[in-house]
Structures are given as C-alpha cells and as structure tokens.
Amino acid sequence: MHTATREAVRPVPKPRTTMQKIGNALRLSKKFSWDYKDFETPTASHFGENIKILFRWQGSIYCLVWKEFLVYMSLYISITVVHDFALTDIDKHHFEDLAAYCSKFVSSLQIVLLLGFFTSTAMQRWFSLVNSIPGTSKVTAYFVNSLKENQPDGEAIVQQYARWIVLSWTLVFRLVCPGLKEVFPDLMSLQNEGLLLEHERLRLEMEPSVKNHSLIVVNWNLGLLRVCARKGMYYVPADYTKNLDCLMLFKKTCNNTIKFASKNIPYALIQAVTIAVYAYGLASLMARMPSKLAPDGTWESTAVSFISGYFPVANFIPVCKLTLNYPWRIGNTIAVFALRCAL
C-alpha cells in the first residue's frame, strides 16, 4: 500500500474554496472574458432572425482574425496605389502579366480540400478533448453514498478522498490549461492551498515525470478504497467494486486528457497548411481585374478595375480562406470554455 494511505487520516481544508479560486482565475482571464450564457440562439420564427448572429462580436470569428484582415487589406490597397501612381506603362504591362498568372494560380490551387481536412482534424481533436474531460462529482458522490453512517473517522476519510480527487483533477489540467498553470505553478502552491500535504508533496517530487503525478494520486485513492473495504465501511461488499469502476473510469479520462496534452497535431501537417495558405494569400494579393489598354498604348482605369483594385470584392473568398488558417484559436476557445463549465 502506498505511503500516503498508511498514515493516519487527518482533516484538511475543504477543496470547495480551491475550486472556486480556479474558476474565478479562469473567468477573470481577459482572453476568455465572454460567456455563452448571454448568447441567444437565433431561431427561424421570424424572417431574417439568423442574420443577427452575423453582427455579434463577442466570441465571433471577427475578433479572432481582424488584425490579419487589416494587414491583408493594407497590402492589397498598397499594391494598387503602386500600380496606379508609381509604375510606368511598360511596368504596368509586366504587372498585368503577373496579375494574370497569380489569378490562374489562385483558381487552380485546391486549398479548400487541404483546409477542410486540417480544420476537421483540429476541431475533432478539440471536441474529443471536451468529451474526455474528467468530472469530480460522480466519483466523489458515489463514494460518499456507499459508506455507512457514523463510521470512525468517516468525515476525515470522505474529505481525504474528495481532496485527492480534486488534486488529481488539478494536476491533469495544469498540463492543459495555461490559466490553471498560473494559479498553481508548482506543487508548493498546491500545498499552500490545502490540496496537498507535505509528505504527499515529497512523494510526488520523487516522480520525475509530471504527467504521472495525477495517476499516482489516483492510486492513493485506490488504496483508500481497499482500506475501507477491509474495515467493512461499505453498506454491501459490492460497493467496493462499483467504487473501483468509477475511480478507474476517472483515471482513464485523466489519462486521455494527458494524451491530448502530450500528443499534438503533427508539425508536418501544420507546416504544409501554413505554407499553402500563405502562398495562396500572397498570390491573391496580385490577383485582380486587368486594366483597360487604350488604343494609344496607355492604361486607363475603368470602374471595374477601380473597384477591384481598392475594394477586393472578387478576392473576398480568398480572404475568407486565408482567415480559416486559424482554426486552432477557435478550438482553444472551445476547450477553455468547456473547462470553465466543468468548474
């Protein structure tokens, strides 16, 4: 049996205040200060009801990519200004040839297929992470309800079991959530908060891999379940097996979360998508409607060339494809929002 379960069970501060501190720390984060509870889902009860979602700023795609969009528009208009006021007629001939080549390149590059595959892979990964988030209420509540009443040290045993559950949960999400890592940067901070005792901290520090800390704490709870079974503290002997199943399921979800944190999307896939998207974006900067060549050999601006030069209506779809290069931002937002809901 583990050293932590051999020692006398002692009362410790309840972990409720610690969970509230974790939740408040994430809710005060400036990056994720919005909440979906204030969002009204559009319906089809009235004409144009779904259009309202296009004008929402908080939690939208606009607040994620507006900087990149402004950079793209600035470069596009700057190239048009150089074409209209800085190039000679001969240089404009070369510019029009380059613009025609870029237009052909943009139309032939099947970036939609590549982005669709990458986006689906990234979003599936984050949704799987959300589904694998371990919960602390079920495993704790089942243990509490399976114990007999008026047991010696019963309250202390329940508090220790719940504390170890919350401790293992916290150790897991310190690897995933940067905000939680800031709240508890090391094991000493967990000890100061009351989640970890001194002898437990020393035992965890003996383990070189941080990823195994939460699994070690779960093993302490396994030992505590065996102690309760030997003392006959359950209503029926079968409660030990049911508690064991709940705890092993909790351990499995913790392990799955650690796998998501340690095994990222392959860098080769990210590099391929990044190169393709930025090549597509640079080519779309030059892809525009050609100017009209006058009979005397000079270039004259038409209404269509002026609009396409300063207002890239035809390039709206390439701009949207370029902004889709940031699906991991959306996925990270979803993951942190789900973590806040778990609190």
Side-chain angles (χ1 to χ4, degrees), residues 3-16:
T3 306
T5 57
R6 288 199 190 104
E7 300 192 8
V9 179
R10 69 190 73 176
V12 294
K14 295 182 179 181
R16 178 175 177 83

Side-chain angles (χ1 to χ4, degrees), residues 186 216 264:
D186 50 19
I216 293 176
N264 204 341

